[in-house]
Amino acid sequence: YSNNDIFRKFNISKNISYRVIRNVNTLEGERTFYSTYFEIRGRLKKLTEEYIAILVTFIKKNKFDGTTILYKGLLNIVSIKVLYTVLSRTIQRALKSVDFRR
């Protein structure tokens, strides 16, 4: 039987029925902007906020601010160990998110 067959059998509207199903399937109610549980959907970021903060601190401390640096070797210079390959474009986007430009 499909969901619509069950809804018709018990004379329940689709909106209410799907809302009940959605509440049963989620962790703590509906997935809304105000939910308090940890988000488990999607891929994890390759560079976390902590890594970005370390990069920004390194750039400011060593006075690279205002000079051109290559993103490719920046993780090696700072000695950040990441489990997977991080492309230079990913580092560029992460630094742009905190208003750093090349």
Side-chain angles (χ1 to χ4, degrees), residues 49 52 56 59-60 65-66 71 91-102:
E49 300 297 326
I52 296 171
V56 168
I59 290 171
K60 285 184 177 179
D65 196 17
Y71 296 117
I91 299 169
Q92 180 184 8
R93 286 181 183 154
L95 289 176
K96 273 188 182 178
S97 69
V98 290
D99 292 333
F100 266 86
R101 302 287 186 258
R102 189 172 189 151

Side-chain angles (χ1 to χ4, degrees), residues 7-37:
F7 303 156
R8 272 189 238 115
K9 170 73 175 163
F10 293 104
N11 197 19
I12 302 171
S13 71
K14 288 182 185 179
N15 290 338
I16 293 173
S17 303
Y18 281 115
R19 188 181 311 150
V20 170
I21 291 171
R22 187 173 51 239
N23 283 338
V24 169
N25 289 338
T26 57
L27 297 175
E28 294 180 13
E30 294 185 24
R31 290 180 185 260
T32 62
F33 180 75
Y34 302 104
S35 61
T36 57
Y37 66 90

Side-chain angles (χ1 to χ4, degrees), residues 35-95:
S35 61
T36 57
Y37 66 90
F38 179 71
E39 182 63 52
I40 56 173
R41 296 179 291 177
R43 181 183 61 79
L44 296 176
K45 291 184 175 183
K46 288 187 176 184
L47 290 176
T48 61
E49 300 297 326
E50 299 165 2
Y51 289 153
I52 296 171
I54 291 170
L55 288 173
V56 168
T57 305
F58 176 79
I59 290 171
K60 285 184 177 179
K61 188 168 80 171
N62 292 317
K63 302 191 187 207
F64 286 121
D65 196 17
T67 61
T68 302
I69 55 174
L70 297 175
Y71 296 117
K72 192 170 188 174
L74 191 60
L75 291 180
N76 293 335
I77 294 170
V78 182
S79 69
I80 293 178
K81 301 295 182 201
V82 184
L83 296 176
Y84 27 75
T85 305
V86 179
L87 298 175
S88 59
R89 180 78 174 131
T90 305
I91 299 169
Q92 180 184 8
R93 286 181 183 154
L95 289 176

